[in-house]
Amino acid sequence: MQQPSTVGTHPPTWQNVLVGAQMLFVAFGALVLVPLITGLDTNVALFTAGVGTLLFQLCTKGKVPVFLASSFAFIVPISYGVQTWGIPATMGGLFAAGVVYMIFGGLIKLRGSKVIETLLPPVVTGPMIAIIGLTLAPAAVNMALGKSGDGGSVILADYRAALIISMLSLLTTLLVAVWAKGIFRLIPILSGIVVGYAIALAMGLVNFQPVLDAPWFALPNFTAPEFHWQAILFMLPVVIAPTIEHVGDIMAISSVTGKDYAKDPGLHRTLGGDGIATSVAACFGGPPCITYAEVIGAVTLTRNFNPMVMTFAACWAVFMSFIGKIGAFLNTIPTVVMGGIMVLLFGSIAAVGINILIKNRVDLSVARNLCIVSIVLVFGIGGMVFNFGQYSLQGISLCGVIAILLNLILPKAPASSKTDSAAH
């Protein structure tokens, strides 16, 4: 790949500091969305995103211009874990998930990237990613209607007000995502939050008292992990989908910058960096830290390929995590605002999974492919549960295990039969 000419330029440090703040601004909406939805501390999420990015840069020798924060694939497992075992046990599961990333990195180092292609082909990853979005759909609708994510309690009794706020938040996100230009095209989530928040504020649904009571500077509410085998086994299969997302992100940033990061510093280092960042984030009570698509879009737009920019973005995130009023302010965002945006967000995740099947031409007339996709979709949407005493396997974790096992067990069609099928 030919090196873009922009790479050779070296802007002054003050300019990199400002561009770093811009990168954090681009990632901010999605960065805080995961803790706001799952009940984790937003200031801790800012801190771990910054620290995770710095650790990633150390692992990758400071060569890859990306910022790390949580994948939306972890929303359901984190929410379920927090409700079932509590935050400390959920953090223990996420720490183990980071270790799985490191193991994947080690396998790639020993066997090459084909080991990922063998374990996680499109027929496995496509329906799995689709299920992540589809299983989140009821939570998005409930929150858009003014209820809690599980629909068990009413947060905003005025149904009409809830619908107005959530749908205008959704509409804003849609308009910005489709028609906005320049840097604004990269912040549809943040735009939706701002508009929805303004409408909720005009309706008198925002309470600023917690912001006034919060200190300006305060230590984030760190939470140490606790290790429970049920939570760990539940969380491990969730790593599958973000692993595929990671490979796609590295390929995307490589094509943008004109450098092959899969070779230098190597996919094993980038995956290992994600793993270390995720495990360290769990030690503080933060969501997983992995490569971030929104920032890749910002790099594409600004043509600033200097990894040092991400260092400054990380430093900004760490600094902001100690401002107590930021977390208090973010917690004043009404649930209905988040619900409206989540309708599009979770639908987009499902669409990505479907697109993987289409883009890779997964033939569903082939019996083994049809069986894998069908079982994953029905188990995921239907809520299948396998109980093993005190441990239960369900949701995305169950779908991941089943998809991988079926792909390894079911015989593949001979090449000749595929040719015959294509001819017909």
Side-chain angles (χ1 to χ4, degrees), residues 140-141 144 162-179 188-189 191-197 199 336-348:
V141 172
L163 206 57
I164 290 172
I165 296 170
S166 61
M167 290 302 101
L168 286 177
S169 299
L170 172 61
L171 180 62
T172 301
T173 308
L174 283 170
L175 293 175
V176 174
V178 176
W179 280 294
I189 294 174
S191 301
I193 291 175
V194 169
V195 170
Y197 191 88
I199 296 170
V336 286
V337 174
M338 313 305 294
I341 295 165
M342 286 159 56
V343 170
L344 174 62
L345 188 65
F346 297 160
S348 299

Side-chain angles (χ1 to χ4, degrees), residues 7 83 147 156 176 253 268 327 331 345 369:
V7 177
Q83 294 171 11
K147 304 176 184 178
L156 180 58
V176 174
I253 195 67
H268 62 287
N331 287 325
L345 188 65
N369 294 343

